Amino acid sequence: MDCVTRLATQSALALKSAGIAAVGRYLGCCSGSWKALTPAELQAIHKAGLSLLLIWETNPTFAGYFSFAQGLSDAKEAVGEAGYLGAPKGSALRWISTPKREICLRFLTIFALSGRVSVSTSWALTVPMPL
């Protein structure tokens, strides 16, 4: 389940009881994103026994956003956010982006070079992994 709502222990346990096995939550705590996963929420998700998928998404609302420089900037920020939350190296990150394959592959290459994430060249980078 992908959600922008922050989860507390009670709501995370309710999701688990309803049959939800994993939640997708957004990175961005350090940058102040309103929908970002927080350290306290991470603990609640773990306590409930849910798997977690980390998602990186900014607000790319114009074509000029999709440049190599922006991909590099986003990758560095996402990797930093994952590190802040204690995500182990090899954790999957899902990047919500553009269909421009060249830009996406550059972004994924930067992630791979960081050693922080596993990378697939498919568009399905959504395998939940327990942290």
Side-chain angles (χ1 to χ4, degrees), residues 26-88:
Y26 293 80
L27 294 169
C29 184
C30 296
S31 60
S33 173
W34 63 271
K35 62 184 174 183
L37 174 69
T38 65
E41 182 184 6
L42 179 63
Q43 289 182 2
I45 290 168
H46 283 271
K47 191 173 192 175
L50 294 168
S51 292
L52 176 64
L53 170 66
L54 298 174
I55 303 169
W56 176 257
E57 178 184 45
T58 55
N59 190 21
T61 57
F62 61 99
Y65 181 92
F66 299 103
S67 67
F68 180 78
Q70 187 62 54
L72 178 61
S73 175
D74 281 357
K76 286 180 178 178
E77 193 170 353
V79 168
E81 291 277 353
Y84 170 76
L85 291 170

